[in-house]
């Protein structure tokens, strides 16, 4: 099997030097109008006692960081299944046991087949890129409980989004956002743009999709020159796709800011600012929908 043709499967292992593979689970909770974030994986550039990692953010709490030695990491090559100590992660269930938090959730995928339009396409076959990206699930139904700081959070109407990254390092300059309609979780947008370096060359690559009222748009097919970003100040920006009549307005002033660790040369040493609960106004002029939809999103931005 050529594993690069199946990017949702495990792409590496803990024997590779200066390598990382990590998963990003977003859980949107309508009652909070914000998201719980679970990041987990392994980074072989870390110390042997800290190869595996979990980063967990629950709104109203600090980020919890948990590390694991190599011998406590179990990875499946046949399906998405990761075990870090007593903690278990898959596309159907997540279980976390720690002195600061207990979490047990069931994940029910709404679609059996991962959408193709989220992928990097033929770029999966390009060897030596610093970072690769793939989406495993969108709009999954999530139920379960979280116990943190003597608080019990019951998830009954939450929705999930799961993606992964692997390689050596996160791009130094990139923009990433995922947003959904709080009133209709099937309405979602993913857009990511990164400056990639490969064999002494630098190029910009973008991926993403738009799903609105049952219609799907592949943003890979949009030429980068057709995507225009206007920055009004450090916390307000607009992305427009003129020929589709779509405009996205971001207001980061109203978001909750937190930070996570990200990989550099296989080590979790970089810091990224993650904006949670970003109000995003989607205005469309050509698609027969309501003219403006208010989305709730998550944003990382080191390029604009």
């Amino acid at each position: 099997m050529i594993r690069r043709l199946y990017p949702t499967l495990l792409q590496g292992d803990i024997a590779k030097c200066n390598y990382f593979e990590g998963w990003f689970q977003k859980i949107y909770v309508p009652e909070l109008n914000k998201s719980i974030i679970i990041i987990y994986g392994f980074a072989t550039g870390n110390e042997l006692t800290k190869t595996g990692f979990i980063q967990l953010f629950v709104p109203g709490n600090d980020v919890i960081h948990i590390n694991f030695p190599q011998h406590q990491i179990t990875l499946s090559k046949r399906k998405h299944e990761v075990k870090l100590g007593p903690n278990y992660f898959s596309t159907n269930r997540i279980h976390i046991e720690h002195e600061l938090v207990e979490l047990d959730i069931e994940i029910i995928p709404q679609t059996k087949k991962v959408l193709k339009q989220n992928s990097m396409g033929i770029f999966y076959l390009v060897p030596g890129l610093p970072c690769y990206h793939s989406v495993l699930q969108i709009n999954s139904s999530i139920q379960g409980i979280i116990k943190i700081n003597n608080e019990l959070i019951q998830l009954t109407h939450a929705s999930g989004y799961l993606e992964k990254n692997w390689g050596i390092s996160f791009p130094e300059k990139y923009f990433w956002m995922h947003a959904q309609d709080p009133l209709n979780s099937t309405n979602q947008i993913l857009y990511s743009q990164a400056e990639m370096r490969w064999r002494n060359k630098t190029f910009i690559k973008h991926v993403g999709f738009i799903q609105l009222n049952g219609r799907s748009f592949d943003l890979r097919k949009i030429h980068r020159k057709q995507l225009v970003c206007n920055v009004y100040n450090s916390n307000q920006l607009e992305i427009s796709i003129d020929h589709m009549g779509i405009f996205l307005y971001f207001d980061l002033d109203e978001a909750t800011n937190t930070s996570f660790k990200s990989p550099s040369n296989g080590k979790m040493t970089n810091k990224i600012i993650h904006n949670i609960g970003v109000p995003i106004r989607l205005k469309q002029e050509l698609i027969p929908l309501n003219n403006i939809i208010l989305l709730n999103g998550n944003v990382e931005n080191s390029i604009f």
Side-chain angles (χ1 to χ4, degrees), residues 2-5 120-129 132 198:
I2 302 176
R3 302 195 71 80
R4 289 181 183 177
L5 298 178
M120 293 175 63
I122 62 171
F123 280 84
Y124 286 130
L125 300 177
V126 178
L129 290 179
Y132 299 85
W198 186 70

Side-chain angles (χ1 to χ4, degrees), residues 35-100:
S35 299
I36 296 165
I37 305 297
I38 307 170
I39 302 172
Y40 56 95
F42 61 95
T44 62
N46 285 355
E47 301 174 22
L48 292 179
T49 57
K50 297 182 178 180
T51 302
F53 62 84
I54 298 174
Q55 301 182 78
L56 171 64
F57 174 77
V58 178
N61 298 272
D62 294 331
V63 176
I64 297 174
H65 297 270
I66 314 171
N67 292 107
F68 303 89
Q70 280 195 4
H71 70 271
Q72 292 186 4
I73 302 173
T74 303
L75 306 166
S76 172
K77 291 187 176 182
R78 293 179 176 272
K79 58 182 178 179
H80 175 52
E81 190 172 77
V82 178
K83 295 180 182 178
L84 302 171
N87 310 286
Y88 175 83
F89 305 87
S90 73
T91 52
N92 302 109
R93 183 174 180 242
I94 294 180
H95 178 78
I96 297 177
E97 295 180 20
H98 189 261
E99 59 183 358
L100 297 177

Side-chain angles (χ1 to χ4, degrees), residues 1-58:
M1 178 193 298
I2 302 176
R3 302 195 71 80
R4 289 181 183 177
L5 298 178
Y6 302 89
T8 58
L9 296 179
L10 186 71
Q11 296 297 307
D13 56 52
I14 57 177
K16 294 183 70 172
C17 294
N18 298 328
Y19 175 81
F20 83 92
E21 193 154 350
W23 292 263
F24 173 93
Q25 176 73 66
K26 172 186 171 183
I27 303 172
Y28 175 70
V29 185
E31 294 83 358
L32 302 176
N33 199 30
K34 285 186 175 141
S35 299
I36 296 165
I37 305 297
I38 307 170
I39 302 172
Y40 56 95
F42 61 95
T44 62
N46 285 355
E47 301 174 22
L48 292 179
T49 57
K50 297 182 178 180
T51 302
F53 62 84
I54 298 174
Q55 301 182 78
L56 171 64
F57 174 77
V58 178

Side-chain angles (χ1 to χ4, degrees), residues 27 29 31 36 105 142-146 153-158:
I27 303 172
V29 185
E31 294 83 358
I36 296 165
I105 61 172
I142 293 183
Q143 300 177 356
I145 60 169
I146 302 174
I153 302 174
Q154 292 186 320
L155 305 176
T156 55
H157 303 290

Side-chain angles (χ1 to χ4, degrees), residues 3-286:
R3 302 195 71 80
R4 289 181 183 177
L5 298 178
Y6 302 89
T8 58
L9 296 179
L10 186 71
Q11 296 297 307
D13 56 52
I14 57 177
K16 294 183 70 172
C17 294
N18 298 328
Y19 175 81
F20 83 92
E21 193 154 350
W23 292 263
F24 173 93
Q25 176 73 66
K26 172 186 171 183
I27 303 172
Y28 175 70
V29 185
E31 294 83 358
L32 302 176
N33 199 30
K34 285 186 175 141
S35 299
I36 296 165
I37 305 297
I38 307 170
I39 302 172
Y40 56 95
F42 61 95
T44 62
N46 285 355
E47 301 174 22
L48 292 179
T49 57
K50 297 182 178 180
T51 302
F53 62 84
I54 298 174
Q55 301 182 78
L56 171 64
F57 174 77
V58 178
N61 298 272
D62 294 331
V63 176
I64 297 174
H65 297 270
I66 314 171
N67 292 107
F68 303 89
Q70 280 195 4
H71 70 271
Q72 292 186 4
I73 302 173
T74 303
L75 306 166
S76 172
K77 291 187 176 182
R78 293 179 176 272
K79 58 182 178 179
H80 175 52
E81 190 172 77
V82 178
K83 295 180 182 178
L84 302 171
N87 310 286
Y88 175 83
F89 305 87
S90 73
T91 52
N92 302 109
R93 183 174 180 242
I94 294 180
H95 178 78
I96 297 177
E97 295 180 20
H98 189 261
E99 59 183 358
L100 297 177
V101 63
E102 293 181 30
L103 181 150
D104 195 84
I105 61 172
E106 179 186 8
I107 305 170
I108 305 170
Q110 297 301 302
T111 55
K112 294 183 178 180
K113 189 175 182 180
V114 176
L115 294 178
K116 295 292 184 182
Q117 55 260 53
N118 62 58
S119 75
M120 293 175 63
I122 62 171
F123 280 84
Y124 286 130
L125 300 177
V126 178
L129 290 179
C131 187
Y132 299 85
H133 171 271
S134 178
V135 174
L136 279 73
Q137 290 179 339
I138 64 172
N139 191 35
S140 54
S141 176
I142 293 183
Q143 300 177 356
I145 60 169
I146 302 174
K147 295 180 181 177
I148 184 169
N149 283 337
N150 297 318
E151 179 185 6
L152 175 64
I153 302 174
Q154 292 186 320
L155 305 176
T156 55
H157 303 290
S159 60
Y161 167 84
L162 176 62
E163 70 173 38
K164 65 176 290 189
N165 292 278
W166 68 95
I168 299 173
S169 304
F170 260 28
E172 293 181 8
K173 296 182 179 181
Y174 73 95
F175 177 88
W176 172 94
M177 63 84 67
H178 175 264
Q180 62 195 75
D181 181 354
L183 302 179
N184 182 357
S185 61
T186 61
N187 291 338
Q188 297 197 19
I189 295 179
L190 168 70
Y191 177 69
S192 181
Q193 172 181 323
E195 184 178 284
M196 307 289 284
R197 296 180 181 178
W198 186 70
R199 295 185 179 180
N200 298 321
K201 295 182 180 180
T202 299
F203 62 94
I204 295 176
K205 174 67 177 173
H206 70 269
V207 296
F209 61 83
I210 298 176
Q211 283 195 314
L212 293 174
N213 286 14
R215 301 183 66 182
S216 183
F217 304 88
D218 187 351
L219 295 185
R220 292 181 310 164
K221 298 179 180 179
I222 306 301
H223 194 280
R224 189 169 55 84
K225 292 182 180 180
Q226 296 174 310
L227 293 160
V228 179
C229 180
N230 297 312
V231 180
Y232 302 115
N233 57 53
S234 60
N235 287 322
Q236 293 183 323
L237 56 94
E238 170 192 301
I239 293 178
S240 61
I241 309 172
D242 287 342
H243 79 289
M244 293 177 64
I246 292 179
F247 304 86
L248 298 168
Y249 303 89
F250 300 78
D251 189 352
L252 302 184
D253 282 327
E254 298 185 32
T256 298
N257 298 331
T258 190
S259 64
F260 296 112
K261 293 180 180 179
S262 67
S264 176
N265 200 29
K267 300 178 182 179
M268 299 295 287
T269 53
N270 280 2
K271 176 182 176 181
I272 56 176
I273 302 300
H274 189 92
N275 301 279
I276 298 173
V278 179
I280 302 173
R281 286 188 301 124
L282 184 152
K283 180 181 179 182
Q284 60 77 36
E285 295 178 348
L286 302 181

